[in-house]
Amino acid sequence: MLRYETLPVTAFQQNCSLVWCDRTHEAALIDPGGEIPRLLEAVRKRGLRLTMLLQTHAHIDHAGATGELARTLKLPVVGPHPGDQFWIDGLPQQSVMFGFPQAELFTPTRWLQDGDTVQLGEETLQVRHCPGHTPGHVVFYSATAQRCFVGDVLFAGSIGRTDFPQGNFEQLIASITERLWPMGDETVFIPGHGPESSFGTERRSNPFVSDRALGR
């Protein structure tokens, strides 16, 4: 079974997720935005073997520590979609703009496309390309655990911002309704910030994407 621990990091309280296969103890960090010692201590305490870094998108609070971790631990970086190349290129400028420690550039070992899968031990994560917050944003879905790691696409009671460069509100709404909702109302999602929720809860009550808000 896929297991996970949510580790809010940086002043932005970004939810970095430590995920692992409980049979093989192979682990990944989804969106390691910062606080590297704390992230590695969480891996150590659980007796896990960190094998990869997964990126939903390349905003600084989600990718600020990715380059350093990849370089120092020789870990592959999987994701995001190539649409976020310009955000990766701009990580040093993002660091200055938002007051983060200087972020290292990185080149994903593997870019991701809609419909791809990522193998973590005996667990398979399905990849959906969900543009709108950023053009290259992806999410990671575990069908067996009924969990989806959605980055900044969707939040409990809200949705991701679309006022950054190449953000697109209509795309974001389509990503949520066409690519997240089919995963099922019972699926719990782990957002990039704030508490978990379920797709069913958001379909019923989210003021931006509920069925009522969309006139459905």
Side-chain angles (χ1 to χ4, degrees):
M1 179 67 73
L2 186 80
R3 306 291 184 188
Y4 67 97
E5 179 182 358
T6 302
L7 301 162
V9 295
T10 83
F12 285 29
Q13 288 295 281
Q14 188 275 127
N15 289 333
C16 175
S17 293
L18 172 60
V19 297
W20 67 94
C21 168
D22 66 357
R23 290 180 63 87
T24 67
H25 298 110
E26 293 181 43
L29 287 168
I30 301 177
D31 290 353
E35 301 186 39
I36 289 176
R38 179 169 169 238
L39 299 180
L40 296 183
E41 176 62 12
V43 175
R44 187 198 66 78
K45 282 177 63 176
R46 292 190 176 274
L48 304 173
R49 181 166 62 90
L50 192 59
T51 61
M52 69 181 81
L53 307 172
L54 304 178
Q55 287 297 143
T56 65
H57 65 296
H59 282 164
I60 184 67
D61 54 327
H62 293 254
T66 301
E68 182 177 346
L69 279 168
R71 175 181 58 81
T72 58
L73 300 181
K74 296 180 170 53
L75 294 171
V77 179
V78 180
H81 177 280
D84 265 21
Q85 177 69 69
F86 79 101
W87 280 115
I88 295 174
D89 295 340
L91 280 170
Q93 290 77 20
Q94 292 186 62
S95 301
V96 174
M97 185 179 302
F98 294 104
F100 276 66
Q102 190 68 13
E104 293 187 20
L105 295 176
F106 62 89
T107 299
T109 312
R110 177 188 171 194
W111 293 104
L112 293 173
Q113 304 287 341
D114 188 62
D116 283 350
T117 60
V118 176
Q119 198 68 29
L120 181 64
E122 297 180 5
E123 297 297 317
T124 301
L125 295 172
Q126 300 175 26
V127 175
R128 300 310 309 265
H129 179 213
C130 292
H133 179 64
T134 70
H137 201 301
V138 298
V139 305
F140 299 97
Y141 170 57
S142 168
T144 56
Q146 287 191 301
R147 294 292 186 275
C148 190
F149 301 86
V150 302
D152 285 355
V153 173
L154 180 68
F155 303 111
S158 189
I159 59 174
R161 292 175 60 172
T162 57
D163 57 338
F164 292 123
Q166 296 192 35
N168 185 295
F169 179 80
E170 289 75 21
Q171 270 191 334
L172 183 65
I173 298 303
S175 291
I176 293 168
T177 59
E178 297 172 12
R179 296 191 169 168
L180 298 188
W181 287 177
M183 296 175 189
D185 284 354
E186 300 306 312
T187 295
V188 171
F189 68 91
I190 297 84
H193 306 267
E196 298 179 2
S197 182
S198 71
F199 292 148
T201 297
E202 301 310 306
R203 285 188 64 170
R204 290 187 294 272
S205 63
N206 189 298
F208 297 94
V209 287
S210 67
D211 291 343
R212 173 177 291 184
L214 298 176
R216 299 179 178 179

